[in-house]
Amino acid sequence: MIHVSYNNIISLDNLIKSWQEFVKGKRKRKDVQMFELDLMENLVELHNDLIKGKYNHGSYVSFRVNYPKPRHIHKASIRDRLLHHAIHRILYPEFDKKFISDSYSCRINKGTHKAIKRFEIFSKKASLNNIRTCWVLKCDIKKFFDSIDHEILISILNKNISDEKVVKLLEKIIESFHKCSNKGLPLGNLTSQLLVNIYINEFDHFVKHELRIKYYIRYADDFVVLSPDRGYLEEIFPIIESFLNSTLKLSIHPNKISINTMASGIDFLGWVHFPDHCVLRTSTKRRMLKNITKPYVKDEVMQSYLGLLSHGNTFKLQKEVRSLVSTQNLP
């Protein structure tokens, strides 16, 4: 049970610190500037509404983004997003202790690069350093954010958080958005990143502690299980699928289930992995080359791509990227 205080979350001190963190890199945005014109007044008003139980979550502005894949984003007001940050600031460190070590999405000191390194370690262990065949079960949860059941999520929060006021506040945020029949969390909320991890953590613990699966990695809605025994993977898959369906009302995408050998190449987190090397996924490479051929590419964009490429066998591609960028940026 997590013993966090509602009063600690809504305190002026926490709201001020949350604003200082939230505003970094956003000061040029008009909605941020408008809120900051009367910052202390706005913070005190939010604080008082939360004390009196008068706080209600506002509506969302929706828009589409196409990178890294087409997604529908719902953006809350600055006031609501500040509160999301204040909640996340207090709750995240407590819940992070409950998450398994091999869950890598939206967590401090985790991320895709560490998930990929862990995948490489697991493949070597399962194959005894490539002496035997390593099989990989790879799955993708269908419409992950849109499928989060509000009632199940709130029951999980009640089971884990001792202060009822904290749960009630989270309930207001959860119920401020739904796709259909009280399901779904908005991709734009910082709280959504934490809440989906809390939700799917039930599955992570089932996999690790009930099924005792040794080589399991999850990043958001993608997960893999590695084993030297294909039959074992075929045996556990229906158990995994049943738990997701019955306990969390989630389903695995029928077109994104595979059991393949490492030798055949496993497409995971943007890279195609082989026993002794990995290469960038073709679609990721095409998107990257398209972006860097735009006029006057920013240096931070190039450095970001070069940082990505440093994690695989991409010497020739790195050379091509540097050549393209230097050509494009010529006056």
Side-chain angles (χ1 to χ4, degrees):
M1 185 68 76
I2 289 172
H3 301 286
V4 292
S5 165
Y6 177 78
N7 291 334
N8 191 17
I9 289 173
I10 70 165
S11 69
L12 269 175
D13 179 61
N14 188 46
L15 292 176
I16 291 168
K17 287 176 180 174
S18 298
W19 175 260
Q20 291 168 345
E21 294 169 2
F22 169 78
V23 80
K24 288 177 183 177
K26 302 184 182 77
R27 291 191 184 274
K28 292 183 180 179
R29 298 179 186 177
K30 281 190 177 181
D31 52 356
V32 172
Q33 291 173 352
M34 290 297 293
F35 192 89
E36 200 164 30
L37 281 175
D38 299 302
L39 180 60
M40 284 312 299
E41 185 179 332
N42 287 328
L43 293 180
V44 170
E45 182 184 18
L46 175 58
H47 172 69
N48 288 336
D49 283 352
L50 289 161
I51 286 176
K52 296 172 185 176
K54 291 183 178 180
Y55 169 80
N56 286 304
H57 198 285
S59 58
Y60 293 87
V61 175
S62 65
F63 57 94
R64 292 192 69 83
V65 296
N66 294 313
Y67 180 81
K69 61 182 179 181
R71 293 182 298 171
H72 203 181
I73 305 295
H74 290 81
K75 184 179 176 182
S77 69
I78 293 295
R79 186 177 194 255
D80 293 329
R81 286 157 63 201
L82 169 60
L83 178 59
H84 299 166
H85 202 103
I87 292 168
H88 188 275
R89 192 170 182 276
I90 301 298
L91 280 187
Y92 170 80
E94 300 302 322
F95 270 104
D96 193 62
K97 298 170 190 173
K98 289 179 167 284
F99 299 153
I100 67 166
S101 61
D102 287 315
S103 135
Y104 289 88
S105 176
C106 301
R107 295 180 66 190
I108 296 169
N109 297 321
K110 294 289 184 176
T112 54
H113 298 324
K114 290 199 174 180
I116 287 167
K117 285 184 181 298
R118 188 66 161 166
F119 182 83
E120 291 169 355
I121 290 168
F122 278 176
S123 70
K124 285 182 171 58
K125 287 184 176 181
S127 67
L128 296 179
N129 283 326
N130 302 328
I131 291 173
R132 63 186 181 186
T133 301
C134 176
W135 293 89
V136 181
L137 167 65
K138 183 175 177 293
C139 301
D140 184 309
I141 297 170
K142 187 178 180 182
K143 296 182 178 178
F144 187 32
F145 274 73
D146 290 348
S147 301
I148 302 297
D149 185 281
H150 290 185
E151 188 177 336
I152 294 172
L153 175 56
I154 292 164
S155 72
I156 292 169
L157 294 173
N158 273 310
K159 184 176 70 176
N160 284 281
I161 299 172
S162 61
D163 192 328
E164 290 181 8
K165 285 186 176 180
V166 175
V167 178
K168 287 293 181 185
L169 179 59
L170 288 169
E171 193 171 340
K172 282 187 177 182
I173 294 170
I174 292 164
E175 293 181 348
S176 70
F177 177 89
H178 58 86
K179 275 287 184 180
C180 62
S181 305
N182 294 317
K183 282 193 172 189
L185 293 175
L187 282 168
N189 284 4
L190 179 61
T191 47
S192 296
Q193 297 175 8
L194 175 59
L195 290 170
V196 294
N197 267 341
I198 292 169
Y199 195 86
I200 201 67
N201 186 51
E202 301 290 304
F203 173 64
D204 292 339
H205 279 275
F206 172 73
V207 167
K208 294 300 293 182
H209 302 304
E210 297 294 325
L211 298 183
R212 297 185 180 278
I213 293 175
K214 196 172 183 181
Y215 303 128
Y216 165 80
I217 298 170
R218 183 183 60 79
Y219 187 94
D221 53 357
D222 288 336
F223 65 90
V224 290
V225 179
L226 297 83
S227 172
D229 184 353
R230 180 190 175 103
Y232 170 72
L233 298 179
E234 291 173 341
E235 183 182 331
I236 63 165
F237 173 73
I239 302 171
I240 284 171
E241 187 176 37
S242 175
F243 180 90
L244 286 169
N245 288 336
S246 61
T247 306
L248 298 176
K249 295 186 180 177
L250 296 174
S251 58
I252 295 174
H253 199 298
N255 298 328
K256 295 182 179 179
I257 305 164
S258 64
I259 300 178
N260 291 310
T261 64
M262 281 293 296
S264 65
I266 303 298
D267 190 333
F268 183 54
L269 300 181
W271 294 85
V272 180
H273 302 264
F274 295 92
D276 56 357
H277 71 286
C278 63
V279 295
L280 199 63
R281 182 191 294 159
T282 303
S283 59
T284 306
K285 177 182 173 181
R286 284 175 183 163
R287 185 169 57 241
M288 178 186 66
L289 293 175
K290 180 181 177 182
N291 287 336
I292 65 173
T293 52
K294 293 175 182 177
Y296 303 105
V297 180
K298 292 182 180 180
D299 184 61
E300 55 264 36
V301 173
M302 187 194 78
Q303 294 305 323
S304 174
Y305 280 128
L306 290 174
L308 168 69
L309 295 176
S310 69
H311 294 274
N313 301 77
T314 59
F315 177 77
K316 288 183 180 178
L317 189 53
Q318 288 183 53
K319 191 175 179 181
E320 183 180 354
V321 167
R322 287 192 175 94
S323 175
L324 281 169
V325 170
S326 61
T327 303
Q328 286 299 117
N329 288 347
L330 287 172

